[in-house]
């Protein structure tokens, strides 16, 4: 019997690790522990609940408006203590959050093998996204097994000198999560706030990145107002991230448009997938949304200047628009007003992020690692 701890701290880690946890738990040779750092409280619980997973340990480290120092220090200490009391053969971490790197470091200090799910993503700019690019690079610098979602991610790792034998191209586990929801979805009723609006163009928007706090977020809200002025028929659905630094601004800037803007709490994952599928297009700075939207052929205007997911742009349906007001406004209106522009974006049916079998590939690699 081998002990494997799967570490999750934030919403995207929970969604993307859920299929891995469910897959590994089928294996009687593995004792799988879910170690939550609680970097997010409600948003983590909501995402784990969507997959019927409960944490075996939860460090509950979240503080209101927490600092990066707080997350790093408390996760390092807390995960370290859990690993000392519950020795593991391997920990699996996901992605690029502060939980990811701090938990990896706790494992590294104890010579516990580290498997990095979604390894090898690179923007090649330590400031974008911040601090995620550093978290990815640092995690990959101490990991033992690399689960790269794409060939491009694997090539990034090889270029950095990681041994090819330790790199496994698996696809992105978010596609497994998405397909799981779509399978369970049949017959799901439209959420209350989406009933009766089918005839209006729906724009789903999420924004939370640290580098967008302040002026960029104000610009984004100004662009939303501009679009509403030009196209009063549109409806923006904005499930607000729990971070008060983000939601205080969005609420204040968009409160005067109740007929055009629906501000909600974070949607649970099935509801969010439903909203993505019903939207005309998505405005977002999220990483996971770029992958999901590509898989369901939904255009995304990415409110960033660089993406570590180049496949979403070159092969998919995503367009980098940055956080300048004019640019967001112009691209949004173009999609809304020019059917031929929209037609050129969608319908490619390319699946750069995998076919929903990433978790099975990770299971196989963990069970039979290459020598
Ligand atoms: C974090 C990750 C980011 C990831 C994002 C996903 C870091 C440094 N940042 O950013 O990489 O893309 O999660 O959403 O790891 N809060 C709540 N309830 C919650 C969650 C957050 O109240 O359930 C509030 C708290 O005041 C908290 C603040 O949001 O202090 C910020 O949370 P934090 O995890 O530090 O940063 P995010 O912006 O969520
Ligand atoms: N998501 C969700 N409910 C919401 C908003 C997003 O379930 O209200 C999902 C989304 O489908 C994606 C993930 O959360 O899988 C993205 O999380 P987030 O934007 O917080 O983080 P990022 O992807 O930028 O790291």
């Amino acid at each position: 019997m081998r002990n494997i701890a799967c570490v999750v701290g934030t919403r995207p880690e929970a969604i993307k690790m859920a299929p891995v946890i469910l897959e590994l738990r089928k294996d009687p040779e593995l004792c799988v522990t879910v170690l939550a750092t609680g970097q997010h409280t409600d948003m983590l619980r909501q995402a784990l609940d969507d997959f019927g997973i409960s944490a075996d340990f939860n460090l509950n480290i979240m503080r209101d408006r927490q600092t990066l120092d707080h997350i790093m220090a408390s996760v390092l200490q807390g995960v370290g203590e859990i690993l000392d009391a519950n020795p593991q053969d391997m920990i699996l971490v996901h992605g690029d959050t502060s939980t990811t790197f701090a938990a990896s470091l706790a494992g590294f200090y104890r010579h516990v093998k580290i498997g990095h799910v979604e390894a090898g993503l690179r923007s090649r700019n330590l400031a974008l996204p911040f601090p995620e690019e550093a978290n990815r690079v640092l995690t990959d610098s101490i990991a033992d097994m690399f689960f790269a979602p794409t060939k491009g991610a694997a090539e990034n790792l090889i270029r950095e000198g990681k041994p090819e034998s330790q790199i496994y191209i698996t696809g992105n586990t978010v596609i497994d999560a998405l397909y799981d929801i779509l399978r369970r979805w049949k017959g799901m009723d439209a959420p209350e706030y989406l009933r009766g609006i089918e005839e209006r163009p729906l724009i789903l928007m999420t924004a939370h990145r640290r580098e967008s706090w302040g002026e960029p977020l104000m610009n984004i809200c100004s662009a939303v107002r501009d679009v509403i002025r030009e196209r009063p028929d549109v409806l923006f659905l904005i499930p607000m991230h729990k971070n008060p630094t983000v939601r205080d601004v969005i609420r204040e800037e968009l409160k005067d448009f109740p007929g055009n803007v629906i501000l909600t709490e974070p949607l649970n994952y099935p509801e969010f997938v439903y909203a993505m599928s019903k939207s005309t297009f998505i405005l977002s700075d999220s990483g996971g949304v770029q992958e999901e939207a590509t898989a369901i052929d939904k255009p995304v205007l990415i409110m960033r200047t660089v993406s570590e997911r180049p496949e979403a742009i070159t092969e998919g349906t995503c367009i980098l628009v940055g956080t300048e007001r004019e640019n967001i406004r112009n691209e949004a209106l173009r999609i809304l007003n020019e059917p031929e522009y929209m037609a050129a974006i969608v319908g490619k049916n390319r699946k750069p992020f995998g076919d929903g079998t990433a978790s099975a590939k990770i299971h196989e690699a963990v069970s039979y690692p290459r020598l």
Side-chain angles (χ1 to χ4, degrees):
M1 183 76 101
R2 288 167 67 218
N3 294 331
I4 299 193
C6 298
V7 182
V8 290
T10 66
R11 169 172 66 192
E13 291 165 85
I15 291 171
K16 290 171 159 187
M17 279 295 251
V20 180
I21 293 165
L22 296 174
E23 169 72 26
L24 296 183
R25 276 196 169 155
K26 290 185 215 154
D27 188 337
E29 296 299 313
L30 302 176
C31 174
V32 179
T33 297
V34 177
L35 199 175
T37 65
Q39 177 178 336
H40 284 174
T41 50
D42 326 307
M43 286 166 60
L44 179 69
R45 195 177 327 110
Q46 185 181 33
L48 289 175
D49 283 353
D50 288 332
F51 294 89
I53 294 171
S54 50
D56 299 296
F57 298 96
N58 193 335
L59 295 168
N60 278 311
I61 64 121
M62 197 192 87
R63 302 280 177 276
D64 192 30
R65 297 173 196 261
Q66 62 203 358
T67 61
L68 297 176
D69 305 11
H70 164 75
I71 308 171
M72 273 305 294
S74 45
V75 171
L76 180 61
Q77 175 95 25
V79 171
E81 284 167 8
I82 289 176
L83 293 180
D84 287 340
N86 306 271
Q88 302 293 320
D89 297 295
M90 179 172 220
I91 59 170
L92 288 182
V93 296
H94 181 279
D96 54 21
T97 69
S98 293
T99 283
T100 314
F101 174 53
S104 303
L105 196 56
F108 176 74
Y109 285 161
R110 288 159 182 79
H111 304 288
V112 178
K113 291 256 176 285
I114 301 161
H116 187 195
V117 180
E118 204 179 78
L121 272 60
R122 297 289 182 268
S123 69
R124 305 200 187 292
N125 181 340
L126 286 176
L128 296 173
F130 177 89
E132 289 82 7
E133 178 72 359
N135 285 337
R136 299 174 185 131
V137 172
L138 292 166
T139 300
D140 283 334
S141 71
I142 53 175
D144 300 280
M145 292 180 87
F146 306 91
F147 303 113
T150 62
K151 191 161 166 279
E155 283 165 1
N156 289 338
L157 292 163
I158 291 165
R159 223 173 285 131
E160 290 171 16
K162 308 289 185 288
E164 265 190 80
S165 61
Q166 291 168 20
I167 301 169
Y168 300 80
I169 301 176
T170 60
N172 198 302
T173 59
V174 81
I175 306 299
D176 305 22
L178 178 71
Y179 286 2
D180 182 15
I181 294 299
L182 292 175
R183 263 193 303 273
R184 287 196 264 147
W185 209 21
K186 292 194 181 86
M188 180 178 149
D189 286 332
E192 187 66 36
Y193 47 80
L194 285 183
R195 293 199 190 135
I197 52 93
E198 280 86 358
E199 59 291 345
R200 294 177 64 182
L202 181 71
I203 303 171
L204 177 64
M205 178 175 125
T206 74
H208 72 83
R209 301 238 80 86
R210 258 187 164 73
E211 62 272 18
S212 295
W213 294 359
E215 203 183 322
L217 192 55
M218 301 286 278
N219 293 341
I220 290 169
C221 293
S222 302
V224 169
R225 291 196 300 266
D226 290 344
V227 173
I228 293 170
R229 262 183 229 109
E230 297 280 333
R231 284 288 304 254
D233 57 325
V234 298
L235 191 60
F236 279 88
L237 173 62
I238 309 181
M240 290 180 295
H241 192 285
K242 283 278 186 188
N243 192 338
T245 311
V246 172
R247 60 171 46 198
D248 289 355
V249 174
I250 293 180
R251 271 212 190 100
E252 181 56 31
E253 293 296 308
L254 298 177
K255 66 177 185 306
D256 296 333
F257 298 86
N260 294 92
V261 177
I262 304 176
L263 300 178
T264 70
E265 288 301 312
L267 303 184
N268 68 34
Y269 190 51
E271 285 178 336
F272 190 79
V273 172
Y274 185 92
M276 280 197 288
S277 76
K278 293 292 171 194
S279 65
T280 305
F281 69 92
I282 303 168
L283 257 179
S284 182
D285 61 11
S286 157
V289 169
Q290 295 172 48
E291 296 148 351
E292 293 159 343
T294 300
I296 60 167
D297 202 22
K298 200 54 80 174
V300 187
L301 301 185
I302 309 172
M303 298 184 289
R304 298 164 60 171
T305 50
V306 60
S307 173
E308 59 291 311
R309 292 160 168 93
E311 302 86 354
I313 295 154
T314 53
E315 294 200 56
T317 46
C318 301
I319 300 169
L320 284 173
V321 293
T323 53
E324 292 300 327
R325 173 179 181 170
E326 281 281 299
N327 229 17
I328 299 171
R329 171 197 172 278
N330 291 347
E331 282 294 324
L333 289 174
R334 216 174 153 199
I335 294 195
L336 287 167
N337 294 336
E338 297 177 26
E340 59 289 357
Y341 186 55
M342 175 70 146
I345 298 171
V346 295
K348 298 187 183 115
N349 194 27
R350 293 187 184 139
K351 305 274 181 239
F353 299 109
D355 58 3
T357 58
S359 312
K361 290 182 182 123
I362 291 169
H363 182 189
E364 163 101 14
V366 165
S367 301
Y368 307 104
R370 292 182 205 126
L371 294 174

